[in-house]
């Protein structure tokens, strides 16, 4: 699997490159009052307001993404197909690289309470944990994109 390998709160994760629409420098999000702690707010992507998830808070168990020169936003869109369409921005500390990962060597993570945390995959001398954006959108409806593929219109 071709994937973007990224860091959040000192932990390495991977997301299928086919769902990565773009990588941008980290921008400030418009606050979302009353949202969960991992929801950084919403950002404007070519006139569409897209929810932004703080990967450190959601995936790594706490904290926030560091506002450094290397911090990035991965724009995620699983596209229209079977299941829930995920459409959101993922704020990360750093995108390390695009890499080919061997799914045959992966093992189950055991993250039963977080279905969006997938298999652990060997990566060099280390390992990465796969993030499943469609499973995240199924669990958190605010991250689901429009089913018809039409962009949402912001206020």
């Amino acid at each position: 699997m071709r994937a973007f390998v990224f860091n959040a709160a000192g932990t390495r994760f991977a997301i299928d490159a086919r769902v990565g629409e773009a990588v941008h420098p980290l921008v400030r999000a418009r606050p979302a009052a009353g949202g969960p702690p991992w929801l950084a707010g919403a950002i404007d992507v070519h006139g569409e307001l897209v929810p932004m998830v703080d990967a450190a808070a959601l995936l790594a168990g706490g904290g926030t993404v560091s506002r450094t020169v290397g911090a990035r936003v991965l724009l995620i869109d699983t596209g229209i197909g079977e299941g829930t369409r995920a459409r959101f921005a993922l704020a990360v500390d750093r995108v390390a690289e695009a890499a080919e990962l061997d799914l045959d060597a992966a093992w189950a993570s055991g993250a039963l309470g977080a279905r969006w945390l997938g298999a652990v995959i060997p990566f060099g001398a280390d390992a990465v944990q796969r993030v499943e954006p469609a499973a995240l959108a199924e669990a958190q409806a605010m991250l689901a994109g429009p089913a018809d593929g039409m962009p949402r219109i912001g206020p």
Side-chain angles (χ1 to χ4, degrees):
M1 169 185 85
R2 189 82 174 150
F4 288 115
V5 175
F6 63 90
N7 294 43
T11 304
R12 285 185 149 185
F13 297 94
I15 197 162
D16 192 326
R18 293 176 295 183
V19 303
E21 188 174 299
V23 178
H24 298 287
L26 182 63
V27 296
R28 290 208 184 273
R30 295 179 187 179
W38 50 261
L39 182 64
I43 62 171
D44 184 317
V45 179
H46 307 292
E48 176 186 2
L49 282 179
V50 176
M52 186 162 79
V53 173
D54 186 310
L58 179 69
L59 305 176
T64 60
V65 166
S66 301
R67 292 203 166 273
T68 64
V69 173
R72 295 288 180 260
V73 173
L74 289 166
L75 185 58
I76 305 300
D77 192 341
T78 59
I80 300 167
E82 293 189 28
T84 302
R85 177 184 184 204
R87 174 85 169 138
F88 59 92
L90 185 64
V92 303
D93 289 323
R94 183 172 78 92
V95 175
E97 63 184 287
E100 198 66 40
L101 301 179
D102 181 7
L103 294 180
D104 292 334
W107 64 92
S109 69
L112 300 177
R115 296 182 320 228
W116 52 88
L117 290 176
V120 176
I121 308 165
F123 181 68
D126 201 1
V128 296
Q129 187 163 21
R130 186 175 180 177
V131 176
E132 304 281 359
L136 179 55
E138 287 171 10
Q140 306 294 337
M142 69 186 75
L143 303 180
D148 60 4
M150 298 301 292
R152 290 176 276 196
I153 305 298

